[in-house]
Amino acid sequence: MTKLLGVIGDPIAHSMSPLIHNGWLRDLGYNANYEAMHVPAGEFDLALQTLETRDILGVNVTLPHKADALRAATTKHPAAAAIGAANTLSFQSDGNWTADNTDAPGFLRAIGEIDPSTDKVIILGAGGSARALVYALSKAGFSPIILNRTIAKAQALAGDLGGTKSLGASLDQYKDYLDSATIVINTTSMGHEGAVLELPEGRDRLFFDISYGHISAAQLAHAAARGWRNRDGLTMLVAQAAYSFEIWFNEFPSIDAGLRRCRAAMKAIT
Ligand code: NDP
């Protein structure tokens, strides 16, 4: 019997998760299929109930349902509970769901070697993805500074999940903070509106934008022109998918193979 997997969200048509997961399922010979599932806000519980009547193995969950996914699960892994959001649900044989958050390990895998004794990290944004990053970074010994348009959210996130020296401040003040940073991570969705944050000289420091494709292109081009090393969010996307796949199949798939497929698909549509 072919098992079912998928990603639930709205919008979802643009998602690269089916491409990533179906590639791995074929590579590794699993009899399962991964589908994009369009579920509007307010219909998450109904969608889960429908899936329970099919041969569902698990689902990824994206905007706007990550908090609902955590709430719906009977067993919540500590990272998902602390972050307040789940991006991976697994259906158990007793009919219950287990919730995980793989954005946090996916981000750490994507950023590579970082050192809390020498690196100073600034996070731009305090939305859902920033919560996973701040959780991962403070667990790794960092005290990231969080800058957000809505200052209260930056301060709340620093207090909830930050390290001992974390603080939250207004994004308007970013120029006051950027000079002391060695790593700047953009988690804002301002790239969706075509906005670009003007950066000081990079001096070979790292600018990591967790968005990818046309959403991060202009910001990363600007960062490169100012002398920053830069990275987009595609590796994080594939790495979080790989950790979800490992939860469902107990086997870690090839991040390189996933990345190759995503880059080829993006090239084909530009
Ligand atoms: P949220 O909606 O939860 O948060 C959006 C953040 O962006 C908030 O901090 C918001 O500030 C800020 N923001 C939005 N518009 C502007 C603007 N015009 N100027 C300044 N700040 C702005 O989104 P997510 O955190 O879930 O996602 C953010 C981005 O990260 C998206 O582009 C998403 O695609 C990407 N992403 C990538 C992942 C990957 O695996 N590579 C995983 C998850 C997300 P405020 O609080 O003031 O509203």
Side-chain angles (χ1 to χ4, degrees):
M1 185 75 76
T2 305
K3 289 282 185 185
L4 179 64
L5 292 157
V7 56
I8 297 179
D10 183 18
I12 204 63
H14 68 288
S15 173
M16 284 204 276
S17 296
L19 174 76
I20 298 168
H21 281 280
N22 285 321
W24 288 332
L25 291 168
R26 275 200 316 276
D27 289 348
L28 299 169
Y30 288 101
N31 184 15
N33 197 40
Y34 187 106
E35 296 173 9
M37 301 168 181
H38 178 233
V39 176
E43 294 182 19
F44 183 77
D45 290 349
L46 183 63
L48 279 194
Q49 283 164 25
T50 307
L51 290 172
E52 287 165 12
T53 66
R54 301 179 61 190
D55 263 324
I56 187 76
L57 206 59
V59 281
N60 285 127
V61 181
T62 187
L63 283 175
H65 303 301
K66 286 185 178 182
D68 286 336
L70 181 70
R71 182 190 41 73
T74 309
T75 308
K76 305 168 207 291
H77 279 266
I83 293 164
N87 74 332
T88 306
L89 289 177
S90 311
F91 192 54
Q92 308 297 336
S93 51
D94 63 3
N96 289 312
W97 294 89
T98 297
D100 285 89
N101 188 308
T102 66
D103 285 331
F107 158 71
L108 284 180
R109 177 87 171 215
I111 199 164
E113 288 242 333
I114 47 174
D115 181 350
S117 65
T118 51
D119 284 319
K120 299 238 174 323
V121 182
I122 287 185
I123 309 248
L124 309 176
S129 58
R131 289 188 67 81
L133 269 59
V134 171
Y135 173 84
L137 284 164
S138 49
K139 284 273 167 205
F142 291 86
S143 285
I145 290 174
I146 301 147
L147 306 178
N148 193 44
R149 180 175 62 179
T150 309
I151 186 170
K153 276 171 69 183
Q155 289 168 335
L157 177 51
D160 282 356
L161 296 178
T164 49
K165 294 181 187 151
S166 282
L167 61 88
S170 167
L171 186 62
D172 289 341
Q173 289 171 271
Y174 77 95
K175 285 189 176 157
D176 300 339
Y177 289 94
L178 248 47
D179 265 348
S180 66
T182 62
I183 298 171
V184 176
I185 306 170
N186 182 22
T187 75
T188 73
S189 46
M190 56 195 289
H192 289 265
E193 300 155 22
V196 171
L197 209 62
E198 193 197 315
L199 297 173
E201 284 298 326
R203 304 188 307 270
D204 204 32
R205 295 176 290 163
L206 177 64
F207 188 90
F208 182 177
D209 196 318
I210 71 159
S211 295
Y212 46 85
H214 69 278
I215 296 163
S216 64
Q219 182 68 67
L220 290 177
H222 170 70
R226 300 292 286 161
W228 294 77
R229 283 182 291 121
N230 67 43
R231 193 164 307 166
D232 71 7
L234 205 57
T235 305
M236 176 176 160
L237 176 79
V238 176
Q240 62 79 27
Y243 285 106
S244 296
F245 191 97
E246 185 183 38
I247 288 167
W248 297 323
F249 295 104
N250 206 21
E251 178 170 12
F252 199 81
S254 163
I255 289 181
D256 284 347
L259 265 176
R260 267 198 306 278
R261 288 190 182 101
C262 289
R263 298 229 186 261
M266 284 169 66
K267 211 169 156 195
I269 55 171
T270 51

